[in-house]
Amino acid sequence: MEKLITLEDIRKNKDIRTYMERGNDVLRAKGFTEHSFIHAELVAKNASEILKTLGYGERDQELAKIAGYMHDIGNVVNRDDHAQSGAIIAFRLLSQMGMDADEVAIVMSAIGNHDEGSGTPVHPVSAALILADKSDVRRSRVRSKDIGNFDIHDRVNYSVTRSDVLVDNQSGEITLKIDIDPELSSIMDYFEIFLERMVMNRRAAALLNMKFCLVINGTKLL
């Protein structure tokens, strides 16, 4: 029987929590940044807020929360192709929970297209997920605290002291504002590892009929 699944239902699902926890363990073993429930909750919240600010309905907002919360569940299989494996895992779990097939499809396609290596925004929920996910750059995601052993990804993430996503209907802009400690990383370092993500953010904003802007240390770069 089909039912309206909410984020609260997702949070309470033991299987979903287990796969997400184990996925974070896989990334820890591989040396990747934190992908815990903190990241999941933040992406869920920001994806929903983006759609709310742009006037999308409550159900789209809820689906953005669900997709945002579950988007990295495929890491339980492997980091490679985790978007696609995550979409299949989400299909099974959400279908078992009784979610409407059309809503399952929206969440699946959002999860399956959130990675910059192979994805593209395909729906407002998908676009909001991309913008929320790619904007979560912060010091606390770096697992190692030994700065001397940081690679460029650790160094750039650790250098970010603040990151905010701002949606301005009047100007038609979605802006990612980042503050970077120049003693730890440069703006060029940021672009070296995140350029593909910024291009994807621009496409996601365009699907929402908005323009994507990037501001680092008060300077507008995109």
Side-chain angles (χ1 to χ4, degrees):
M1 181 179 177
E2 295 175 349
K3 59 184 290 190
L4 289 180
I5 301 298
T6 66
L7 176 59
E8 193 57 36
D9 295 322
I10 300 299
R11 290 191 183 113
K12 292 177 180 177
N13 188 288
K14 181 181 178 181
D15 290 346
I16 291 174
R17 294 189 63 86
T18 298
Y19 296 149
M20 289 174 63
E21 288 172 347
R22 296 297 172 262
N24 192 33
D25 291 343
V26 168
L27 295 190
R28 180 184 295 109
K30 287 176 170 283
F32 284 92
T33 52
E34 168 264 326
H35 284 70
S36 68
F37 290 110
I38 296 172
H39 175 61
E41 291 283 2
L42 185 61
V43 173
K45 175 180 178 293
N46 287 343
S48 174
E49 284 297 319
I50 288 169
L51 293 187
K52 181 179 180 180
T53 304
L54 293 176
Y56 285 86
E58 290 186 3
R59 194 56 196 162
D60 279 335
Q61 294 172 38
E62 194 69 26
L63 293 178
K65 289 180 185 178
I66 292 170
Y69 189 83
M70 296 181 67
H71 75 282
D72 276 330
I73 199 169
N75 285 315
V76 71
V77 179
N78 196 305
R79 178 62 180 176
D80 292 340
D81 300 321
H82 75 286
Q84 287 73 35
S85 55
I88 299 304
I89 293 170
F91 161 74
R92 174 181 175 273
L93 293 168
L94 295 175
S95 296
Q96 285 181 339
M97 293 174 71
M99 180 181 271
D100 173 78
D102 188 57
E103 293 194 344
V104 173
I106 291 172
V107 174
M108 278 182 66
S109 61
I111 294 174
N113 280 282
H114 84 270
D115 186 69
E116 64 271 17
S118 58
T120 189
V122 295
H123 184 278
V125 169
S126 168
L129 167 57
I130 288 167
L131 288 160
D133 179 40
K134 306 313 172 194
S135 301
D136 185 19
V137 185
R138 52 188 160 83
R139 175 169 294 185
S140 56
R141 295 194 71 186
V142 180
R143 298 183 196 271
S144 171
K145 302 308 174 187
D146 185 357
I147 296 177
N149 288 326
F150 281 178
D151 62 13
I152 187 172
H153 290 82
D154 288 338
R155 192 169 68 250
V156 169
N157 277 280
Y158 195 78
S159 73
V160 176
T161 58
R162 183 170 181 174
S163 176
D164 296 303
V165 181
L166 307 174
V167 181
D168 188 335
N169 279 315
Q170 189 170 5
S171 67
E173 294 178 342
I174 297 176
T175 303
L176 172 58
K177 294 185 68 175
I178 294 177
D179 291 334
I180 291 177
D181 183 343
E183 296 295 320
L184 296 172
S185 180
S186 69
I187 292 175
M188 281 302 297
D189 286 337
Y190 181 89
F191 272 100
E192 180 178 342
I193 66 171
F194 288 145
L195 181 58
E196 279 188 294
R197 297 185 184 186
M198 296 304 100
V199 171
M200 197 176 197
N201 276 352
R202 186 174 64 184
R203 291 171 179 162
L207 188 142
L208 297 170
N209 296 313
M210 301 287 281
K211 178 182 178 182
F212 176 72
C213 299
L214 175 66
V215 175
I216 299 181
N217 290 354
T219 301
K220 189 172 183 178
L221 301 173
L222 292 175

